[in-house]
Amino acid sequence: MLDKTYDPKEIEARRYPEWENAGAFRAHPESPKQPYCIVIPPPNVTGSLHMGHALDNTLQDVLIRWRRMKGDDVLWQPGTDHAGIATQMVVVRNLEQEGIGLAVEGAARNDANKKLLNREEFLARVWEWKAYSGGTITSQLRRLGASCDWSRERFTMDEGLSKAVLKVFVELYREGLIYKDLRLVNWDPKMLTAISDLEVESREVKGHLWYFKYPIEGSPDEFIVVATTRPETMLGDTGIAVHPDDPKWKHLIGKHAVLPLVGRRIAIVGDEYSDPEKGSGAVKITPAHDFNDFEVGRRHNLEAINIFDKFARVNDKAPEKYRGLDRFEARKVIVAEMEELGLVEKIEPHTHAVPYGDRGGVPVEPYLTEQWYADAKKLAEAPLAAARDGRVKFVPERGREDFFRWMENIEPWCVSRQLWWGHQIPAWYGPDKKVFVALSEDEAKAEARAHYGKDVGLERDPDVLDTWFSSALWPFSTLGWPDQTAELAKYYPTSTLVTGWDILFFWVARMMMMGMHFMKEVPFRTVYLHGLVTDEKGQKMSKSKGNVIDPLELIDKYGADALRFTMTSLAASQAGRLRLSPARVEGARNFATKLWNATRFAEMNGAALPKGFDPASAKLTVNKWMLGELARANQAIDKALGEFRLNEAANTLYEFVWGVVCDWYVELTKPIVQGADGPEKDETRAVTAFVLRETVKLMHPVMPFITEELWDKLGHRAEHGALISQPWPAPTSIDPAADAEMGWLVKLIQDIRSARAELNVPAGAKLRLLVIGGNETTAARLETHRAAIERLARIEGVEAATSAPKASLQIVIGEATYTLPVGDVIDLKAESARLQKEIKKLTDEVGKIDAKLANAAFVARAPEEVVEEQRERRAQAEQTGARLSAALERLGV
């Protein structure tokens, strides 16, 4: 017997270990079944479950559970990422609390007594931390219900994956696809490493625009004015760019200016990068400290002078008096000296975007440094071809266009990082700095011996690989590559990759590069891209805004199934923002409770499935209709899941369970199951039990916990085993006659209820129903379903009529007009006036919103969530207006 109250917390804590201990999540590579494989986007080992994880892993688990029920041999490959910079930062912070630091060359010593760890000692502490805290995220994924094959869990720095990383780096180097180069990188002067674009966040900063006057060589009284937000970088200026067509400055092209404070002669070049409408129209060019300037410098052969050290302090390439100054201290000194020299034309307040390191929390410095690079352009050729010819499909389709846009304009990929935690680059340097890239130190020594003719000392490159390098190998390294395993043979290429748009380039594209290069095959057949979870206003969640929603708190309060259902139903906006509010999760919990209560009601009224019950034997119209609705829901859900329209699958479940089963079938059959014993009661009890059994199967991929519990409590587990292992239900048949008759009945009752509500007819008022022009079929249906109509639509008597009374509202269904005399319960004129007033108000609102949306300036300047809110308000107003207009029409006054 079901408990009176649905308690998700108790059910979830009990059911998940049962599944895992029974091996329900395990893949079977030896099985002849068709494979279906998803590799989990590996969360950072430092991580805790956030809403992005909740969405991403819910969608994966829905697909995995569905394909498992469809009969596939399913592998959901789990694992975690070593997360180089994030993990190093966490461990460093923990060490600082113990008064321990890192022995980093060149760092200022604030405390002579502070203990400093060398690299080996630090790495030992990281592995110690990983053993103690690294399982947090995977235990939280279990709370969400993720049915990964945990027996195959991998870590990007485990022995097998490290072996794969070494092999890939060495082979790419030997093929000329990995090399060292001197280029600009995003440099984090706090973390002391190059970082990827994904680790850079743009912040709006209120700063200044300084207009500096640079004297023209040979004309000390003539100046060219440059505008800059970063005066400190002028120490590294090697040119000035003006637009070739700018009448103000073009006469200076080919001449030189003299760099104040430094005295360096710098060229004035014509380049379209300079915009005559911005600032002074002339741009100082610092190739070593600005990405755009670097490109201008390359076009015009300008020298790149790096004026900062790795701590962003002025180095010895600048005049002596500035050396050792922090970049922001240097800014103050330089501005003061330029003012003293009379070389500051003006200073304007200026709000602009400044790139910050998301881990270090300080402004990123574009920094010219030697790093290891992968030839991304060459590696991108095969993935581009695979996307073009359809070997990889993108859902939604526009992901393909975004993929092309980035891959066709790809830059070299900086794969080195100046960290201690990570895969250390397998490169060793000889006495003359010749590099030997090898799978091991012994192999490097052998190469060095062959080169020098004797044994020499080698020094290993201290850098580690970008975290994205190892995760780019994830689809095949996790399956055992470079060993040729049974798993690799069966599950590669994987079936589907589920991920967010934000890492389409950083991860998806790079997996395609590595998969195509080393496996000669795409790493996945379909890339399913979902949107970003935001708060209910469409704003990105952030701690500073105070709008972060914790998924674990939602699970504690409403249950994992409620959160999963909400995430699945939100997945409509595949490319946009998925607005989440706790109220929506609460609504999903109410949905689960509704199913629980309906099942309990059925159980209390004797609903049970007789052995060998055949749904095709049902004779009652209402039961044949219910079985047809079940078939329709089954087909719609299966189709939606197959087409990655997971939100439609969730909405179909909701409409079917709440709208059809609970609101209609249970209500229509109450008089039967609570009435006299007999064949009708027996059939209805059996059909009810059958529908509930099949319903929990359909719901299981989305809401696994409650459905497993109901399956068990209804006795099916004892006979058939756990629900997680059951096959997807075969659709029942649809009876057209029953479908038409019950469709008519449901529409009639719905329309009467809607009309009553829209016209403010008191809920307790019982009205007569007059039927005009009904044919024999309608008359027979009215007679058959009179009791249901009277009970569910609050009607007192159904009569045939030749015309409608004056004070009545009218409903047209098919050939008949149904009228409800309401003159005695509402004031028709007053109601008509109210409706007209409401309709006008809504029409005016639509007009105002249309005017706003037609204003290109508003659409361009307003935040995306504000524009979206206006569109939603318009749609809602239009919908309400249409409903009220229909109500006004029904009044007929």
Side-chain angles (χ1 to χ4, degrees):
M1 190 75 178
L2 284 180
D3 292 340
K4 186 177 181 182
T5 307
Y6 164 55
D7 181 1
K9 189 175 283 190
E10 187 277 329
I11 292 168
E12 290 163 12
R14 180 163 38 84
R15 288 297 174 192
Y16 194 92
E18 285 178 8
W19 288 327
E20 189 171 1
N21 295 337
F25 307 153
R26 292 202 174 200
H28 300 281
E30 74 289 347
S31 162
K33 289 181 178 180
Q34 174 182 304
Y36 184 86
C37 179
I38 294 178
V39 291
I40 198 170
N44 286 356
V45 70
T46 57
S48 289
L49 197 73
H50 56 59
M51 287 313 312
H53 293 133
L55 172 69
D56 199 62
N57 288 283
T58 293
L59 300 183
Q60 290 173 76
D61 197 40
V62 169
L63 293 171
I64 284 289
R65 288 176 182 268
W66 171 63
R67 291 312 310 177
R68 191 182 284 127
M69 294 179 81
K70 293 290 282 185
D72 291 349
D73 172 30
V74 164
L75 170 59
W76 186 9
Q77 174 62 56
T80 50
D81 194 296
H82 67 278
I85 194 167
T87 303
Q88 180 153 326
M89 190 177 81
V90 167
V91 178
V92 165
R93 192 185 294 142
N94 291 344
L95 290 170
E96 282 173 353
Q97 291 173 357
E98 298 177 38
I100 300 172
L102 303 188
V104 178
E105 186 183 347
R109 291 293 302 273
N110 298 323
D111 181 0
N113 297 318
K114 192 176 191 178
K115 183 183 177 184
L116 299 179
L117 300 183
N118 62 27
R119 183 175 192 140
E120 289 69 28
E121 291 167 333
F122 173 72
L123 290 178
R125 293 296 292 262
V126 180
W127 282 107
E128 193 180 296
W129 173 88
K130 194 257 177 190
Y132 180 73
S133 302
T136 300
I137 186 73
T138 54
S139 65
Q140 291 169 342
L141 285 170
R142 286 172 167 89
R143 287 201 63 194
L144 186 67
S147 61
C148 304
D149 186 346
W150 296 108
S151 69
R152 298 175 181 276
E153 184 179 348
R154 303 302 300 266
F155 177 53
T156 49
M157 280 185 64
D158 69 28
E159 188 180 344
L161 269 62
S162 296
K163 178 181 169 184
V165 167
L166 275 177
K167 182 176 173 66
V168 165
F169 186 92
V170 172
E171 287 194 13
L172 289 177
Y173 175 79
R174 288 173 180 169
E175 293 171 35
L177 295 172
I178 280 184
Y179 55 91
K180 292 197 87 170
D181 196 8
L182 188 67
R183 294 177 63 90
L184 277 191
V185 297
N186 296 310
W187 183 264
D188 187 322
K190 183 173 182 184
M191 301 304 295
L192 303 179
T193 180
I195 59 176
S196 74
D197 289 344
L198 195 65
E199 293 159 326
V200 176
E201 60 182 32
S202 186
R203 298 185 193 174
E204 287 289 313
V205 172
K206 289 182 179 177
H208 294 89
L209 196 58
W210 285 270
Y211 288 77
F212 287 170
K213 298 192 295 184
Y214 287 11
I216 303 302
E217 183 184 45
S219 304
D221 296 329
E222 186 181 4
F223 300 92
I224 184 168
V225 178
V226 297
T228 181
T229 58
R230 304 183 67 213
E232 64 277 12
T233 63
M234 71 174 286
L235 301 175
D237 287 359
T238 57
I240 296 170
V242 301
H243 195 279
D245 301 326
D246 186 352
K248 186 176 179 183
W249 303 118
K250 67 179 182 180
H251 66 285
L252 294 175
I253 293 172
K255 295 188 176 184
H256 290 79
V258 178
L259 181 62
L261 309 183
V262 179
R264 185 162 50 244
R265 182 173 180 261
I266 60 175
I268 301 171
V269 299
D271 196 286
E272 291 184 354
Y273 166 62
S274 181
D275 184 350
E277 303 299 317
K278 286 185 179 177
S280 67
V283 182
K284 66 185 213 57
I285 301 299
T286 321
H289 294 288
D290 183 278
F291 288 97
N292 291 315
D293 291 7
F294 183 76
E295 296 303 324
V296 174
R298 284 209 301 194
R299 288 195 289 271
H300 299 280
N301 296 314
L302 302 178
E303 186 183 1
I305 302 173
N306 191 345
I307 57 153
F308 295 128
D309 65 13
K310 64 184 179 182
F311 300 95
R313 300 177 303 214
V314 179
N315 65 17
D316 58 8
K317 296 286 178 65
E320 190 172 349
K321 62 178 175 178
Y322 305 110
R323 294 174 191 171
L325 290 178
D326 171 78
R327 54 185 165 164
F328 298 117
E329 186 60 35
R331 177 181 296 183
K332 293 176 190 172
V333 171
I334 286 165
V335 169
E337 291 190 5
M338 291 290 282
E339 284 180 319
E340 197 175 317
L341 292 169
L343 296 177
V344 178
E345 184 183 78
K346 60 179 176 177
I347 303 171
E348 294 177 343
H350 183 66
T351 300
H352 60 121
V354 174
Y356 276 72
D358 68 349
R359 302 292 177 183
V362 299
V364 167
E365 191 61 50
Y367 189 63
L368 187 66
T369 176
E370 189 176 49
Q371 301 281 346
W372 289 94
Y373 286 88
D375 186 346
K377 199 163 194 67
K378 183 72 178 169
L379 289 167
E381 289 173 3
L384 278 166
R388 282 198 184 94
D389 64 26
R391 278 174 285 162
V392 172
K393 176 186 170 190
F394 290 86
V395 178
E397 177 68 19
R398 87 164 181 84
R400 184 170 174 264
E401 302 311 313
D402 284 5
F403 180 78
F404 286 150
R405 191 161 43 251
W406 189 73
M407 293 288 267
E408 286 166 354
N409 298 285
I410 199 165
E411 292 288 324
W413 172 16
C414 177
V415 297
S416 48
R417 298 290 183 267
Q418 290 62 54
L419 300 169
W420 284 354
W421 174 244
H423 295 102
Q424 192 170 355
I425 288 173
W428 287 262
Y429 299 96
D432 56 356
K433 296 302 176 189
K434 177 172 173 55
V435 66
F436 300 93
V437 172
L439 290 170
S440 66
E441 187 170 5
D442 286 344
E443 191 177 293
K445 283 178 178 176
E447 287 184 19
R449 191 181 305 116
H451 175 76
Y452 293 110
K454 61 178 181 179
D455 286 331
V456 296
L458 296 179
E459 186 179 338
R460 187 165 183 179
D461 194 310
D463 289 356
V464 298
L465 286 164
D466 176 15
T467 297
W468 295 107
F469 190 91
S470 51
S471 55
L473 318 183
W474 192 249
F476 55 96
S477 63
T478 53
L479 298 175
W481 188 92
D483 297 335
Q484 296 305 305
T485 63
E487 288 81 358
L488 191 65
K490 182 164 188 182
Y491 301 113
Y492 191 94
T494 67
S495 309
T496 305
L497 180 78
V498 180
T499 191
W501 288 82
D502 56 336
I503 54 174
L504 175 59
F505 315 126
F506 293 98
W507 189 44
V508 179
R510 287 164 180 172
M511 283 190 287
M512 288 182 68
M513 289 179 192
M514 295 302 191
M516 297 293 290
H517 191 81
F518 288 95
M519 297 295 295
K520 309 305 177 192
E521 177 61 283
V522 295
F524 24 72
R525 301 294 186 199
T526 302
V527 179
Y528 171 46
L529 297 161
H530 57 70
L532 173 76
V533 185
T534 67
D535 68 11
E536 58 193 304
K537 294 176 183 172
Q539 294 190 345
K540 192 173 178 180
M541 294 183 196
S542 72
K543 288 178 183 175
S544 59
K545 289 179 187 170
N547 66 343
V548 173
I549 301 172
D550 183 345
L552 295 170
E553 288 180 9
L554 292 176
I555 290 173
D556 285 338
K557 193 168 184 181
Y558 303 116
D561 280 335
L563 179 60
R564 288 170 62 105
F565 183 84
T566 305
M567 293 289 97
T568 310
S569 64
L570 281 174
S573 182
Q574 292 165 327
R577 292 168 183 258
L578 312 180
R579 300 182 184 204
L580 176 69
S581 68
R584 191 156 181 170
V585 186
E586 184 180 11
R589 193 276 317 274
N590 295 344
F591 173 51
T593 301
K594 185 80 171 175
L595 173 67
W596 183 273
N597 291 342
T599 307
R600 190 166 177 274
F601 171 81
E603 187 184 44
M604 289 168 66
N605 282 281
L609 202 56
K611 237 179 177 26
F613 173 72
D614 180 6
S617 66
K619 293 181 175 60
L620 285 183
T621 301
V622 69
N623 289 331
K624 288 192 282 187
W625 165 76
M626 183 65 253
L627 291 165
E629 289 294 312
L630 174 65
R632 214 189 311 276
N634 185 332
Q635 291 161 358
I637 293 161
D638 199 40
K639 186 171 187 287
L641 291 174
E643 294 172 356
F644 298 97
R645 293 179 287 106
L646 276 66
N647 63 299
E648 289 184 23
N651 293 338
T652 300
L653 280 169
Y654 187 91
E655 288 160 13
F656 173 69
V657 173
W658 195 309
V660 177
V661 177
C662 298
D663 280 358
W664 289 109
Y665 183 64
V666 170
E667 292 303 321
L668 287 166
T669 57
K670 265 182 185 175
I672 302 172
V673 297
Q674 294 178 339
D677 290 347
E680 290 190 353
K681 186 173 189 174
D682 292 344
E683 177 186 296
T684 303
R685 281 170 161 177
V687 170
T688 300
F690 177 81
V691 167
L692 288 171
R693 187 189 76 176
E694 301 301 280
T695 297
V696 296
K697 290 182 190 174
L698 296 177
M699 289 183 70
H700 180 74
V702 180
M703 304 179 86
F705 291 106
I706 187 173
T707 52
E708 187 73 75
E709 183 76 4
L710 292 173
W711 175 263
D712 187 2
K713 291 296 173 70
L714 291 174
H716 304 307
R717 185 179 182 127
E719 187 177 348
H720 303 289
L723 175 58
I724 191 173
S725 306
Q726 297 307 305
W728 187 257
T732 45
S733 59
I734 296 173
D735 184 304
D739 207 41
E741 183 171 332
M742 295 307 296
W744 166 87
L745 176 63
V746 168
K747 180 163 176 53
L748 176 61
I749 294 170
Q750 275 179 332
D751 284 1
I752 292 171
R753 286 173 170 177
S754 297
R756 291 179 64 123
E758 285 155 4
L759 297 169
N760 288 334
V761 174
K766 290 207 169 184
L767 307 174
R768 286 182 304 138
L769 179 64
L770 306 180
V771 186
I772 303 162
N775 59 23
E776 286 182 13
T777 302
T778 298
R781 287 173 175 174
L782 286 165
E783 189 56 40
T784 301
H785 300 290
R786 180 186 297 271
I789 295 167
E790 290 181 344
R791 179 167 58 91
L792 298 176
R794 303 192 71 79
I795 295 297
E796 200 165 54
V798 180
E799 305 166 22
T802 53
S803 62
K806 279 187 179 178
S808 65
L809 58 88
Q810 298 173 22
I811 298 162
V812 178
I813 299 175
E815 86 295 345
T817 300
Y818 302 84
T819 70
L820 295 167
V822 290
D824 294 339
V825 290
I826 61 169
D827 181 336
L828 263 69
K829 285 188 179 176
E831 198 55 35
S832 174
R834 180 186 73 81
L835 288 171
Q836 287 177 53
K837 186 178 176 184
E838 283 293 317
I839 291 164
K840 184 180 183 307
K841 186 179 169 185
L842 289 164
T843 305
D844 290 347
E845 187 176 356
V846 168
K848 283 178 189 172
I849 294 170
D850 281 345
K852 264 188 189 178
L853 295 175
N855 182 341
F858 168 77
V859 174
R861 289 177 192 162
E864 185 186 332
E865 59 266 22
V866 172
V867 175
E868 187 58 33
E869 185 189 10
Q870 291 294 314
R871 290 191 177 120
E872 284 176 9
R873 279 180 57 197
R874 186 196 186 284
Q876 200 171 23
E878 201 168 45
Q879 196 177 14
T880 306
R883 203 177 69 243
L884 296 182
S885 295
L888 184 63
E889 203 175 317
R890 285 191 189 118
L891 275 178
V893 293

